[in-house]
Amino acid sequence: MFAPKNTVAALLFTSIWLFASCVEDKDMGEANKLRPDVNQNSNITVDANANIADDSAIRLKELINLPYEPTEDSPWKEMPIGNQMADNRVPGPTDRKLTAVLKFSKEDTQRIVESAEKKGKSFEKSIESESWFPAELIANSQTTGDNTIKGVAYGVEDFVKPPYSVGTLIRVNNSEYFVLTLQTKKD
């Protein structure tokens, strides 16, 4: 670095150098011009409540029959159906789907399974894990390698209440959890 020969020049040089190093570094908007505006033409509407489940037991009991009292809060979601059902009927404007995660005592779980088996065949089924499911079920899905929850599916006769009339009740393997999915269906 260069050093002036006299003290006045050295003091002046030091003052200028200190002043220059204390100037605020402002962006002036130039940094944002370096990256493209990827959202300039997007028409995406984001629903902040899309992955939030309801846990009101009172409201859930208004929508479905609960033959036994769940042992803990039961998260659930009700949403409009946006795709065709299995019978290729186009869903109407009031068609809905309800998904609930229910956990019962061991005794009630056994009673539910026995009742469902009397009413129809059971079959193995896997479903996608949802971000609003209880942590235990999300962890269970991560152990399968495909992020699904595996279980045994039964009929839903003991749980339906109009307007919900079709669906499945899946008992999650090695647990007292059930995932209930019901849909509206007009005949």
Side-chain angles (χ1 to χ4, degrees):
M1 185 157 156
F2 129 86
K5 296 196 183 214
N6 66 31
T7 48
V8 174
L11 187 57
L12 181 64
F13 175 77
T14 305
S15 298
I16 293 172
W17 181 78
L18 283 173
F19 178 74
S21 65
C22 294
V23 173
E24 184 178 356
D25 185 20
K26 291 188 179 178
D27 176 17
M28 304 296 189
E30 296 299 316
N32 287 333
K33 291 181 181 176
L34 298 175
R35 64 185 144 192
D37 187 3
V38 295
N39 294 323
Q40 67 187 12
N41 292 325
S42 66
N43 293 325
I44 299 172
T45 304
V46 177
D47 182 2
N49 295 323
N51 280 329
I52 298 175
D54 197 335
D55 63 356
S56 168
I58 295 169
R59 175 86 172 106
L60 182 61
K61 287 179 184 179
E62 292 173 359
L63 297 171
I64 66 171
N65 288 321
L66 281 172
Y68 302 98
E69 195 68 31
T71 59
E72 56 187 55
D73 287 343
S74 301
W76 58 275
K77 280 181 90 168
E78 185 181 33
M79 61 196 93
I81 297 175
N83 57 353
Q84 292 185 329
M85 292 183 181
D87 62 359
N88 292 326
R89 180 183 69 85
V90 177
T94 60
D95 284 336
R96 314 269 310 149
K97 175 182 175 183
L98 183 136
T99 304
V101 178
L102 308 165
K103 185 174 184 181
F104 297 99
S105 68
K106 288 185 182 202
E107 297 79 21
D108 290 344
T109 296
Q110 188 60 37
R111 289 182 192 119
I112 292 168
V113 169
E114 287 171 2
S115 175
E117 285 177 339
K118 288 178 187 174
K119 294 177 180 160
K121 283 184 146 183
S122 61
F123 55 95
E124 289 186 20
K125 180 142 175 89
S126 61
I127 57 168
E128 294 289 322
S129 176
E130 299 281 344
S131 61
W132 54 270
F133 281 9
E136 186 177 337
L137 291 186
I138 293 172
N140 178 313
S141 73
Q142 293 170 345
T143 63
T144 64
D146 59 1
N147 286 338
T148 61
I149 298 171
K150 299 190 182 331
V152 178
Y154 302 96
V156 292
E157 292 82 5
D158 293 340
F159 293 87
V160 295
K161 182 188 278 188
Y164 293 104
S165 59
V166 296
T168 56
L169 177 68
I170 301 170
R171 179 182 180 193
V172 177
N173 289 340
N174 304 313
S175 77
E176 278 73 47
Y177 277 104
F178 290 85
V179 178
L180 173 68
T181 305
L182 293 173
Q183 293 180 346
T184 58
K185 179 181 177 185
K186 308 249 188 290
D187 292 325

